[in-house]
């Protein structure tokens, strides 16, 4: 990557469509969606005009609550083309989390599917918006969600009060082309194009504001590390609603005109089928995904003739799994990326030219045009090679800030523009980084960031819970699992299952603790601070997790 580029996501898509009009852009293996870049660009133009005709304006926020369906991609690029901001919604959210996100993000519209796994999205939306079904589509009014006007439904039999997705194509015909092009041309690369909600390092989820400039350049740098070109084909089983799916996959593909083969949601057989049938050259995944494929009873029956590269990231990558993927899947050029949503997200990455040893034991070197350093968490002093400290980065990829949270933004981006990750890391003499732990207590379970405070706050609402601490404990499968340590009120009776059911009914599945321990007290410092690291040590011993705790990661 020789220089940073200043172009909007919409203009970049148009550029690729003009350069490679007849090359494959997006192909699904489980539905009739197979488009060239020209066709894909035209569909995105139609949806953009449909949004405008509906009354969505440049600068408005559009939430999307869906798995990796084609409409997700069309919504993202349509928003980028007409200047709206895409607000990504975790597919596992329940009513408690959805209400918070829609209210905090000031979303004017939401595109949604019928549901995913145990979550019925239609029921959840009707619980949150009880008068929606009695409203004319597009005329919804709710004082609790003052910005929300339109719910656009993807699927058969559109529920009452919602707008059918296909209506957007009809509406598009009514919107003047000249007006659309004027809006398209008015968008600035430094405008916000996406808001990703992350639990980050403190408190409730925050909307990370990412610009066209952030994600185009980060996508370009990521694709360069894998030597992507228009001859490549990337299988995408990671969710679009994360930066992993949206930037490391979709934007890295767009910047290199690489074909995309999305998987609606991860299933080992679907991914292996796509890799074989479509002869994909690359696939992304969190370690858990690769482990599930390698351990699948039918793994040996699949062949991956062209598979060479991809990214393993999202949570600490076990060295043994990296080596297996290289040897048994043929991914001799697999890479590791490290970063955070606030950094668009990649700050370091290995390349296909790095040795296998470096690619399985480190998270690579600084991305082009990104400064990185290790500092002493207490003094802020920059540390030398092989000294553990906090990882910090600075560059074009740093977010614009957290939406409507100026103080929280100041807490992570210092006055010199350095973004503080909260992660402990070391760098060697050659600039290769290793992540060694986390200063704060955020849990990363299979690539999902889980902030304990959010679960703790919710558990505090249970009438039998006196005190609670939520910690991450080691897991061979997911890197970490959630554990709730609870002190009950006097004479209260609560079972482990009661606690899990209480959370499961109100929060996303990945936040339900795998382990629940009832305690009389918590380990404290002399000044009365709870020692979470001691709780973790106790849990490792109590649950016999010593083997999982000793797994070596990059």
């Amino acid at each position: 990557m020789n220089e940073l580029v200043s172009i909007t996501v919409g203009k970049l898509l148009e550029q690729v469509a003009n350069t490679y009009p007849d090359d494959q852009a997006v192909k699904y293996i489980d539905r009739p969606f197979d488009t060239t870049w020209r066709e894909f660009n035209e569909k995105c133009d139609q949806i953009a005009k449909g949004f405008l005709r509906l009354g969505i304006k440049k600068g408005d926020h559009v939430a999307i609550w869906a798995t990796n369906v084609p409409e997700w991609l069309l919504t993202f690029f349509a928003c980028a083309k007409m200047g709206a901001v895409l607000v990504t919604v975790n597919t596992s959210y329940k009513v408690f989390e959805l209400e918070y996100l829609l209210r905090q993000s000031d979303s004017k519209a939401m595109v949604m599917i019928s549901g995913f796994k145990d979550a019925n999205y239609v029921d959840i939306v009707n619980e949150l918006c009880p008068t929606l079904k009695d409203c004319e589509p597009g005329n919804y009014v709710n004082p609790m969600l003052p910005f929300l006007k339109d719910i656009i439904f993807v699927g058969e039999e559109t529920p009452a009060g919602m707008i059918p997705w296909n209506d957007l194509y009809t509406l598009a015909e009514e919107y003047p082309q000249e007006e659309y092009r004027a809006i398209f041309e008015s968008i600035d690369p430094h405008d916000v194009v996406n808001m990703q909600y992350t639990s980050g390092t403190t408190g409730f989820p925050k909307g990370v504001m990412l610009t066209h400039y952030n994600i185009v350049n980060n996508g370009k740098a990521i694709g360069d590390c894998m030597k992507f070109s228009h001859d490549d084909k990337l299988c995408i089983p990671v969710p679009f609603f994360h930066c992993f799916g949206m930037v490391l996959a979709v934007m890295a593909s767009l910047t290199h005109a690489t074909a995309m083969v999305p998987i609606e949601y991860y299933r080992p057989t679907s991914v292996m089928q796509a890799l074989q049938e479509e002869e994909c050259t690359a696939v992304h995944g969190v370690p858990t995904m690769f482990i599930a494929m390698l351990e699948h009873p039918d793994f040996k029956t699949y062949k991956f003739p062209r598979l060479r590269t991809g990214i393993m990231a999202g949570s600490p990558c076990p060295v043994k799994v990296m080596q297996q993927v290289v040897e048994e899947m043929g991914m001799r050029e697999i890479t590791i990326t490290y970063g955070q949503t606030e950094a668009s997200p990649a700050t370091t990455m290995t390349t296909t030219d790095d040795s296998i040893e470096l690619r399985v034991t480190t998270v690579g070197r600084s991305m082009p045009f990104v400064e990185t350093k290790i500092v002493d968490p207490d003094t802020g002093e920059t540390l030398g090679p092989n000294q553990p400290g906090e990882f910090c980065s600075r560059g074009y990829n740093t977010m614009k800030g957290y939406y409507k949270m100026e103080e929280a933004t100041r807490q992570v981006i210092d006055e010199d523009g350095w973004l503080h990750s909260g992660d402990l890391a070391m760098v060697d003499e050659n600039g290769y980084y290793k992540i060694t732990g986390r200063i704060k207590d955020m849990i990363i379970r299979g690539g999902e960031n889980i902030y304990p405070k959010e679960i703790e706050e919710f558990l505090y609402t249970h009438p039998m819970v006196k005190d609670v601490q939520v910690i991450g404990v080691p897991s061979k499968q997911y890197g970490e699992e959630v554990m709730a340590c609870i002190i009950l009120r006097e004479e209260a009776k609560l079972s482990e299952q009661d606690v899990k059911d209480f959370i499961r009914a109100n929060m996303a599945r990945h936040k339900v603790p795998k382990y629940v321990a009832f305690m009389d007290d918590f380990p404290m410092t002399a000044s009365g601070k709870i020692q979470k690291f001691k709780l973790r040590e106790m849990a490792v011993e109590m649950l016999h997790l010593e083997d999982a705790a000793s797994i070596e990661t990059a």
Side-chain angles (χ1 to χ4, degrees):
M1 187 163 163
N2 299 322
E3 59 182 18
L4 294 170
V5 293
S6 189
I7 189 172
T8 65
V9 171
K11 283 190 177 173
L12 180 60
L13 174 57
E14 195 165 85
Q15 200 176 81
V16 171
N18 290 334
T19 310
Y20 302 104
D22 301 319
D23 279 15
Q24 190 176 66
V26 185
K27 166 78 183 287
Y28 280 77
I29 61 166
D30 63 349
R31 66 198 69 204
F33 194 91
D34 182 1
T35 73
T36 63
W37 284 108
R38 182 202 286 117
E39 292 163 343
F40 185 70
N41 182 54
E42 286 169 357
K43 281 180 187 288
C44 295
D45 281 333
Q46 286 178 290
I47 298 302
K49 289 202 283 187
F51 283 160
L52 287 164
R53 179 65 183 82
L54 205 56
I56 298 167
K57 294 182 173 62
K58 180 183 173 184
D60 282 343
H61 296 177
V62 177
I64 178 135
W65 197 19
T67 47
N68 290 5
V69 292
E71 291 82 3
W72 202 108
L73 288 172
L74 295 170
T75 299
F76 166 46
F77 285 108
C79 285
K81 278 172 168 276
M82 48 75 66
V85 177
L86 186 80
V87 178
T88 50
V89 185
N90 191 310
T91 52
S92 299
Y93 271 9
K94 299 283 176 68
V95 66
F96 179 74
E97 297 141 317
L98 181 69
E99 179 181 12
Y100 169 82
L101 180 141
L102 290 175
R103 189 172 63 246
Q104 205 280 332
S105 68
D106 299 330
S107 289
K108 184 172 183 178
M110 181 167 75
V111 176
M112 61 176 278
I113 58 172
S114 61
F116 177 56
K117 291 193 176 171
D118 64 341
N120 184 315
Y121 294 177
V122 177
D123 287 352
I124 290 170
V125 168
N126 282 326
E127 182 183 341
L128 184 57
C129 309
T131 60
L132 175 68
K133 56 185 179 299
D134 303 318
C135 292
E136 279 293 309
N139 292 333
Y140 180 63
V141 177
N142 181 346
M144 296 299 290
L145 299 167
F147 283 83
L148 190 65
K149 295 287 173 275
D150 303 306
I151 308 271
I152 300 157
F153 185 77
V154 174
E156 305 296 317
E157 297 179 25
T158 304
M162 299 187 192
I163 298 159
W165 170 267
N166 285 337
D167 281 11
L168 293 171
Y169 292 107
T170 313
L171 289 166
E173 294 169 13
E174 301 168 13
Y175 198 83
Q177 177 68 8
E178 318 77 62
E179 284 184 37
Y180 168 57
R181 288 306 295 184
I183 293 165
F184 177 86
E185 294 295 341
S186 74
I187 300 162
D188 188 279
H190 294 283
D191 289 345
V192 175
V193 69
N194 174 227
M195 267 165 52
Q196 296 258 344
Y197 272 79
T198 177
S199 295
T201 51
T202 53
F204 282 88
K206 296 177 283 294
V208 175
M209 296 186 287
L210 300 178
T211 65
H212 296 259
Y213 192 71
N214 286 150
I215 66 172
V216 166
N217 285 293
N218 210 238
K220 175 77 169 69
I222 289 156
D224 285 352
C225 286
M226 293 179 285
K227 293 193 172 143
F228 266 4
S229 77
H230 68 97
D231 294 323
D232 279 299
K233 193 179 279 194
L234 172 66
C235 179
I236 311 175
V238 290
F240 290 152
F241 70 77
H242 272 167
C243 265
F244 199 169
M246 205 183 94
V247 184
L248 277 68
V250 175
M251 291 308 299
S253 297
L254 177 67
T255 51
H256 294 75
T258 294
M260 293 178 265
V261 182
I263 306 294
E264 186 187 346
Y265 58 91
Y266 176 76
R267 286 158 303 189
T269 49
S270 300
V271 180
M272 294 188 290
Q273 182 189 345
L275 295 177
Q276 178 172 285
E277 288 180 10
E278 294 302 314
E279 296 194 348
C280 295
T281 59
V283 62
H284 290 354
V286 296
T288 324
M289 292 178 173
F290 286 104
I291 292 166
M293 286 190 277
L294 291 163
E295 293 183 354
H296 195 279
D298 297 334
F299 175 73
K300 294 267 194 278
T301 67
Y302 289 91
K303 298 285 180 283
F304 316 124
R306 294 187 63 216
L307 190 58
R308 67 171 182 86
T309 190
I311 296 171
M312 189 186 296
S315 62
C317 302
V319 172
K320 180 168 175 271
V321 177
M322 286 285 287
Q323 288 165 336
Q324 276 184 285
V325 167
V326 169
E327 289 160 19
E328 296 177 40
M329 295 182 72
M331 293 177 69
R332 305 212 167 274
E333 298 178 4
I334 190 169
T335 60
I336 281 187
T337 308
Y338 163 75
Q340 59 188 120
T341 307
E342 291 88 340
S344 306
T347 49
T348 73
M349 189 167 174
T350 55
T351 72
T352 57
D353 295 326
D354 285 326
S355 70
I356 290 282
E357 177 68 15
L358 285 168
R359 280 191 280 123
V360 300
T361 60
T362 79
V363 294
R365 292 186 284 192
S366 304
M367 304 288 280
F369 305 103
V370 177
E371 296 175 84
T372 54
K373 66 178 181 178
I374 305 291
V375 302
D376 183 307
D378 297 321
T379 66
E381 176 197 355
T382 301
L383 300 174
N386 304 309
Q387 291 183 276
E390 184 179 21
F391 181 93
C392 297
S393 67
R394 180 169 70 176
Y396 73 85
N397 58 329
T398 304
M399 66 170 177
K400 205 157 195 173
Y402 295 124
Y403 184 62
K404 297 196 304 187
M405 292 186 176
E406 287 180 22
E407 181 52 38
T409 303
R410 278 193 292 272
Q411 286 173 14
V412 295
I413 301 174
D414 67 27
E415 55 195 15
D416 295 318
W418 288 97
L419 174 65
H420 290 252
S421 70
D423 285 333
L424 286 169
M426 289 195 308
V427 62
D428 68 15
E429 296 82 354
N430 299 313
Y432 285 89
Y433 283 87
K434 280 192 177 191
I435 306 303
T436 56
R438 284 189 303 286
I439 299 164
K440 310 287 195 301
D441 59 355
M442 186 176 69
I443 300 164
I444 303 181
R445 180 191 180 275
E448 291 277 7
N449 288 1
I450 301 168
Y451 194 72
K453 184 173 171 60
E454 193 183 358
I455 305 171
E456 289 166 0
E457 295 279 354
F458 183 68
L459 278 172
Y460 277 126
T461 67
H462 196 290
M464 295 185 194
V465 172
K466 179 181 175 184
D467 202 354
V468 57
Q469 293 294 313
V470 172
I471 58 171
V473 295
S475 161
K476 284 184 178 177
Q477 186 177 11
Y478 291 106
E480 282 184 298
E481 287 282 8
V482 178
M483 179 174 184
C485 304
I486 294 172
I487 299 173
L488 292 174
R489 297 188 185 281
E490 276 187 51
E491 296 181 17
K493 286 197 170 86
L494 204 59
S495 71
E496 186 173 337
Q497 196 57 48
D498 292 337
V499 173
K500 291 180 180 181
D501 290 345
F502 179 61
I503 296 174
R504 188 178 286 112
N506 293 278
M507 301 188 87
R509 187 185 312 99
H510 61 272
K511 296 174 188 172
V512 178
K514 181 176 174 70
Y515 306 105
V516 178
F518 296 102
M519 301 181 168
D520 296 327
D521 51 41
F522 297 136
M524 302 266 197
T525 63
S527 61
K529 288 184 179 173
I530 293 166
Q531 296 174 300
K532 281 200 171 184
F533 74 94
K534 285 205 172 167
L535 276 177
R536 183 181 162 96
E537 288 169 5
M538 289 160 56
V540 167
E541 192 175 333
M542 181 173 74
L543 301 168
H544 308 294
L545 298 173
E546 289 84 359
D547 284 355
S550 66
I551 292 173
E552 189 185 354
T553 61

